[in-house]
Amino acid sequence: MKKRKKSSEQTKGNLTSLRKIITRTQVALIVSVTILLSSGGLIINIKSNNKAFNQNLQNTTALVSRIYGFTKNLSQPKLCEYFDGVAADLPEVDIFSIVDKNSIRLYHTHHHLINTKYDGTHPDFSSYSSSYFTEDSNGPSGPQRRTYSAFYDANGNYEGFIMTIRLKTSMRIVTRNTVLLFVLVTIAAISIELVICAKLSHEIKKSFLDFTEDFEGTKFLVDSMRANNHDFTNKLHVILGLIQIGQYEQAMNYIQSISIIQRETVTFVMHNIQNSSLAALLIGKIARASECNVKISFQENSHFKNEDIDIPSEALVTITGNLIDNALDSMNTGTSSTKKLSIGIFTDTGKMLLIVQDSGTGIAEGFIEKIFENGFSTKGTGRGVGLFHTKQLIESLGGEIYVESQVGKGSCFTVKLSK
């Protein structure tokens, strides 16, 4: 009896010792793996941020250049007022300026610099293969990253350049917030796992005491710990992955079991649409669609190659933008909980096919022939010009537009252009 009691106490002591060893090992594993993954993710994310800063500046410069092409004939007060509105919609750019060929600032985010002489870097665009370039520099607002883009008149003569700026202080704030977020996520993940580990360890100890002679108890402990670590690692990979692609708020929401919004469509656009104006438009529409709870997708093999067909960027943006806006409006006025927008863009030698298909309210059969008439609209007065101008523009390019629609199921607009 004493021998059995002694053996039981010895087994209990061995189990307690084993539990402590396993717990310490698991804690060390959790902390080391978490710190290692977080450090690697942080480095990758900081590098990704730098690339994102450059890409945002380049995209904004291209956008401002295109807008200036439409507004350069405005009086300076109206030009200033217009670009103040543009600047308010560009939160990822701190400053942008328009400088003419005589180095006079036609516009600057800081109004006191308008009509003053620009004495900074004068880019020599002839020495660059790209239409823009980025550099680190210093300006009146301090250290900054700049992207330059030239603009020309109708005859191709140099008229000046656009300059977009991200201040280094803003960039450091983004980096600091990224580091803080990584630290908070790491601490939260470790804390949650340690609580689970302690609770699980306690439960396992109780189970072992009931089966002191059973080796399967040890196997259960090891298997449980392995599964727990594997589950934790998977969750951490998801969180780190979200942070690496810049989805900071979504990462925090994931911890609270809220689903995230993926950005595959943006990546698709950047890799498959060569026309920068069209790509910028599509990225903007993707953001708007997300705000409208519309799931946007691109048809398989969609692509646009500049060498396939020569279409003015302004016309391309107007046609595509109007059709997408029309589709989003149709879905916003409907009651369907499933809002899907499918876009197909295909080019071949001398040809282009554009397909915009929505799951909106659809068009009544009696209205299909009227939707392209000037002023016709089922959405109230003061509307009905978008599709009219779109068709006129398409036909001026020698193209055609078709529409198929079913009430309650949606519409599909197809544009065919050839050169």
Side-chain angles (χ1 to χ4, degrees):
M1 183 72 178
K2 290 182 179 180
K3 184 177 181 180
R4 183 180 297 177
K5 183 177 180 181
K6 183 178 180 181
S7 176
S8 177
E9 291 176 351
Q10 184 178 3
T11 301
K12 182 176 179 180
N14 290 338
L15 291 175
T16 301
S17 177
L18 178 62
R19 181 179 66 85
K20 290 181 179 179
I21 292 173
I22 293 175
T23 300
R24 286 196 297 267
T25 302
Q26 186 184 26
V27 170
L29 178 64
I30 291 170
V31 173
S32 59
V33 170
T34 302
I35 292 176
L36 180 63
L37 290 175
S38 295
S39 300
L42 182 59
I43 293 172
I44 293 173
N45 189 261
I46 291 175
K47 291 183 177 179
S48 177
N49 279 346
N50 284 328
K51 291 181 180 179
F53 290 141
N54 293 343
Q55 190 62 56
N56 286 333
L57 287 172
Q58 291 170 7
N59 291 342
T60 302
T61 302
L63 176 63
V64 173
S65 297
R66 184 164 58 83
I67 294 174
Y68 182 66
F70 294 107
T71 59
K72 61 183 180 180
N73 294 324
L74 294 176
S75 64
Q76 192 164 69
K78 288 187 177 295
L79 184 72
C80 181
E81 180 182 356
Y82 185 87
F83 276 102
D84 282 345
V86 174
D89 293 329
L90 299 173
E92 295 183 344
V93 173
D94 295 314
I95 299 169
F96 72 82
S97 181
I98 302 172
V99 182
D100 68 12
K101 60 184 178 182
N102 298 317
S103 298
I104 300 300
R105 296 181 176 95
L106 303 179
Y107 174 79
H108 195 284
T109 308
H110 298 157
H111 289 183
H112 67 277
L113 293 175
I114 295 175
N115 291 327
T116 62
K117 190 173 182 63
Y118 170 77
D119 57 359
T121 301
H122 288 264
D124 180 12
F125 293 96
S126 63
S127 62
Y128 295 90
S129 58
S130 174
S131 60
Y132 51 76
F133 73 96
T134 302
E135 67 171 6
D136 289 330
S137 184
N138 285 292
S141 302
Q144 52 197 237
R145 183 165 297 175
R146 298 175 173 179
T147 292
Y148 305 87
S149 177
F151 57 88
Y152 306 86
D153 62 17
N155 297 319
N157 299 315
Y158 175 76
E159 286 193 322
F161 62 90
I162 308 291
M163 178 174 60
T164 55
I165 297 172
R166 190 72 191 264
L167 298 177
K168 288 296 182 71
T169 52
S170 297
M171 296 170 65
R172 283 194 289 269
I173 289 173
V174 173
T175 301
R176 183 196 65 191
N177 291 340
T178 299
V179 172
L180 289 176
L181 183 59
F182 266 87
V183 171
L184 290 175
V185 169
T186 301
I187 293 175
I190 291 175
S191 299
I192 293 172
E193 185 59 15
L194 289 179
V195 172
I196 296 174
C197 175
K199 186 175 181 180
L200 180 61
S201 178
H202 179 71
E203 294 298 324
I204 290 175
K205 178 184 177 182
K206 290 174 61 178
S207 298
F208 261 91
L209 292 177
D210 294 333
F211 302 96
T212 56
E213 299 294 329
D214 192 351
F215 179 76
E216 288 300 317
T218 303
K219 185 175 182 297
F220 171 77
L221 173 65
V222 176
D223 289 343
S224 297
M225 293 297 183
R226 184 182 292 115
N228 197 35
N229 279 332
H230 181 72
D231 181 63
F232 164 75
T233 303
N234 283 339
K235 291 179 180 178
L236 187 60
H237 282 162
V238 174
I239 295 171
L240 291 178
L242 291 172
I243 295 174
Q244 289 170 10
I245 62 173
Q247 299 288 347
Y248 308 119
E249 293 183 3
Q250 285 84 341
M252 297 303 293
N253 290 339
Y254 180 81
I255 298 174
Q256 300 171 10
S257 301
I258 298 178
S259 61
I260 64 170
I261 300 173
Q262 297 295 336
R263 301 175 68 181
E264 289 85 354
T265 46
V266 174
T267 303
F268 179 88
V269 169
M270 300 303 295
H271 285 87
N272 293 278
I273 305 299
Q274 288 186 358
N275 185 289
S276 59
S277 296
L278 179 59
L281 170 80
L282 291 173
I283 291 174
K285 297 304 181 185
I286 289 169
R288 186 190 166 198
S290 176
E291 293 172 357
C292 298
N293 295 320
V294 173
K295 181 179 180 181
I296 193 169
S297 63
F298 288 86
Q299 296 182 12
E300 187 175 2
N301 297 323
S302 287
H303 67 279
F304 185 97
K305 295 183 178 179
N306 290 323
E307 62 266 25
D308 283 344
I309 186 168
D310 182 20
I311 302 175
S313 294
E314 292 80 4
L316 192 61
V317 166
T318 298
I319 293 169
T320 307
N322 282 348
L323 291 180
I324 293 176
D325 286 342
N326 185 71
L328 292 175
D329 286 344
S330 176
M331 286 184 283
N332 284 338
T333 57
T335 58
S336 174
S337 58
T338 303
K339 299 180 181 180
K340 295 182 179 180
L341 176 60
S342 173
I343 300 174
I345 303 175
F346 308 93
T347 60
D348 201 349
T349 305
K351 299 177 182 179
M352 173 184 162
L353 177 66
L354 171 65
I355 302 171
V356 178
Q357 184 173 3
D358 64 69
S359 61
T361 57
I363 305 168
E365 187 174 351
F367 292 153
I368 289 182
E369 297 296 328
K370 298 181 179 181
I371 60 173
F372 295 111
E373 295 178 3
N374 188 17
F376 176 82
S377 175
T378 60
K379 303 170 185 175
T381 58
R383 308 190 63 168
V385 294
L387 290 177
F388 169 73
H389 288 306
T390 299
K391 184 179 181 182
Q392 280 195 324
L393 182 55
I394 292 169
E395 291 177 345
S396 71
L397 296 171
E400 298 174 297
I401 183 170
Y402 310 93
V403 59
E404 296 178 355
S405 186
Q406 187 173 353
V407 175
K409 292 191 175 181
S411 304
C412 179
F413 286 83
T414 303
V415 176
K416 293 182 179 179
L417 295 174
S418 58
K419 285 286 186 179

